[in-house]
Amino acid sequence: MALQRSRANNLTPVLLLVGHWLELVGWWQLAARTGPIGWGAVVLVASVKFRHLQEVSHFTVHGVLTRDGALGIALTEAMVHAPLGFVPVPVRRDKHVRQHHPSATVAGVDPNLAELHRAGLRPEAGSGRFAVAVVFPLTLGGLADTCRGLAVNLDPRGAGWSRLCVFAAVPLALGILLGWPAAVFGFLVPRLLFYPQLAWMSLLVEHRWFDAERATGGPAAIEAARCLRLYPRNRVLALLARGTWLPYGDLFHYAHSVHPAVRWNYLPALERGIGTPAYTPRGLLIGSSTVVAHHRRALADARASGRTAGVTQPAARADG
C-alpha cells in the first residue's frame, strides 16, 4: 500500500481513459467505412472497450484510481458513467463497496446475488431456465431489463437532464458525423446487448454464489470460502480473459476481495502472496470443471436439500 500511494498520480488515469476513447473513435471510423464483417468486429471490440471502461471506474469506486479522490470521481463521471448511462459514482459505491463487499453471496443482503436470482438462477430453475439465465442479457427479457436500468439511471427526475443529454449525445453525434452504422454497431448494440453479456459473465465468475461456505477469521480465510479463481493454470486463456471480458483486476477477484483498496496493477503480486481460494475452475462453460457446471450443481443441491441458494448469515467482515 505504501508503494501504491507513492506512485499514485492524476495524469496516468486521465491518459488511460483518453486512450480507451481514442481506440473507440478508431473503431467507429472503421464501422463507417466497412460492411457487415467490419460491423461485427466493431460490435465485439466496442463491447470489450466498454468492459474496460467499467473496470477502470470500479477502482474509482474504491477510491484508488487517482491521487485526488474528487478528480477521480469527476473524471469517471465524465468519461465513463455519464456517456455509458451508468449510475452516479456515489450510488455505485454504496451498492458495491458498502452492500456487496462485506456481504458477498449472502442471500437477502448482497445486491449482486439478488441480480442473479432475478435472472432465474434459483434452485427451482430447470435446465432450460438455467441455460437462458447464463445468457440472460442477450435474451428479450435481458434486453428489457437493460433498458429499464438505463431508464432509471437516466431519469431526469433523479439524475437531472445532464446525464440523459450526455448519454444521448454519443450515438447522436456518431450518427451525424460518421453515419448510422457507427451509431448502431459502435455504440447501441454493444451497450445494450454484448457489453451487458460480458459484464454478466464476469459476475458469474466472481464467487461461488450458490454454495459459498461460512468462514471466520481474517479476510483471506473468509474470501477463500466464497471466491473462485478462473484459469489458474491456463496462461493462454487467462491472458485472453484479461484482455477482453475480465480486464484489469477482474481475473484476480479473490485478491481484490481480500484487499479491496489495492489497485489492479498490484493484484497479481498480491495473489502470489496470499495464494488462491479453495475453488479454482478450469473454464467458464464447457466441461465438468467449469463455473457454469459448478453453479448448476450447487443450485440442484440447494433444491434437493430445500435450502436457500447463498449464504444465509453474513460473514464476519467489517471492511470492504
Side-chain angles (χ1 to χ4, degrees):
M1 291 302 295
L3 179 64
Q4 176 174 298
R5 293 189 190 100
S6 70
R7 292 180 173 177
N9 68 85
N10 294 326
L11 177 61
T12 303
V14 173
L15 296 176
L16 178 66
L17 288 171
V18 169
H20 280 306
W21 283 105
L22 286 176
E23 286 185 64
L24 279 167
V25 169
W27 285 97
W28 290 337
Q29 294 277 354
L30 181 65
R33 289 164 169 77
T34 58
I37 295 177
W39 297 342
V42 171
V43 166
L44 294 177
V45 174
S47 302
V48 167
K49 299 310 296 182
F50 293 166
R51 274 288 294 135
H52 284 224
L53 290 169
Q54 178 199 1
E55 284 309 304
V56 172
S57 74
H58 168 231
F59 288 89
T60 299
V61 171
H62 283 283
V64 295
L65 179 64
T66 55
R67 179 180 289 275
D68 184 328
L71 173 65
I73 292 174
L75 186 66
T76 301
E77 290 283 13
M79 300 190 71
V80 183
H81 281 223
L84 295 183
F86 294 164
V87 296
V89 171
V91 176
R92 186 179 174 197
R93 175 176 175 80
D94 181 70
K95 178 182 177 181
H96 179 72
V97 177
R98 297 189 176 93
Q99 297 179 43
H100 165 67
H101 264 274
S103 304
T105 74
V106 179
V109 181
D110 182 3
N112 290 13
L113 181 59
E115 288 184 29
L116 296 170
H117 285 169
R118 285 197 301 271
L121 292 172
R122 296 173 172 271
E124 61 270 21
S127 298
R129 187 69 187 91
F130 178 85
V132 169
V134 170
V135 293
F136 177 66
L138 298 179
T139 66
L140 288 177
L143 176 60
D145 188 70
T146 297
C147 292
R148 281 193 297 268
L150 277 171
V152 172
N153 296 348
L154 302 173
D155 188 342
R157 294 171 296 180
W161 284 99
S162 61
R163 302 187 74 83
L164 177 59
C165 291
V166 171
F167 177 77
V170 179
L172 182 62
L174 287 175
I176 293 173
L177 297 175
L178 295 175
W180 68 266
V184 172
F185 300 110
F187 187 81
L188 292 176
V189 173
R191 178 61 186 89
L192 296 179
L193 280 176
F194 290 96
Y195 154 73
Q197 178 62 34
L198 295 181
W200 186 250
M201 289 159 54
S202 76
L203 179 62
L204 290 174
V205 302
E206 283 185 1
H207 294 282
R208 295 168 53 185
W209 290 109
F210 312 113
D211 65 341
E213 301 171 4
R214 295 190 186 95
T216 58
I222 292 172
E223 300 302 342
R226 60 189 183 186
C227 290
L228 60 88
R229 170 60 157 91
L230 190 61
Y231 308 133
R233 290 169 291 277
N234 193 322
R235 293 187 177 183
V236 174
L237 289 179
L239 285 173
L240 179 62
R242 290 178 68 179
T244 54
W245 61 286
L246 293 177
Y248 295 96
D250 241 15
L251 187 67
F252 306 96
H253 192 75
Y254 169 57
H256 169 67
S257 296
V258 175
H259 293 288
V262 173
R263 204 168 57 242
W264 68 82
N265 46 315
Y266 299 101
L267 289 177
L270 177 60
E271 182 182 77
R272 289 193 293 270
I274 64 174
T276 55
Y279 179 45
T280 55
R282 295 180 181 177
L284 172 65
L285 289 172
I286 302 173
S288 59
S289 180
T290 61
V291 177
V292 168
H294 181 90
H295 289 337
R296 183 73 183 115
R297 289 192 296 267
L299 287 170
D301 291 345
R303 180 174 65 248
S305 63
R307 63 176 175 82
T308 302
V311 177
T312 55
Q313 294 296 327
R317 279 203 69 174
D319 63 335

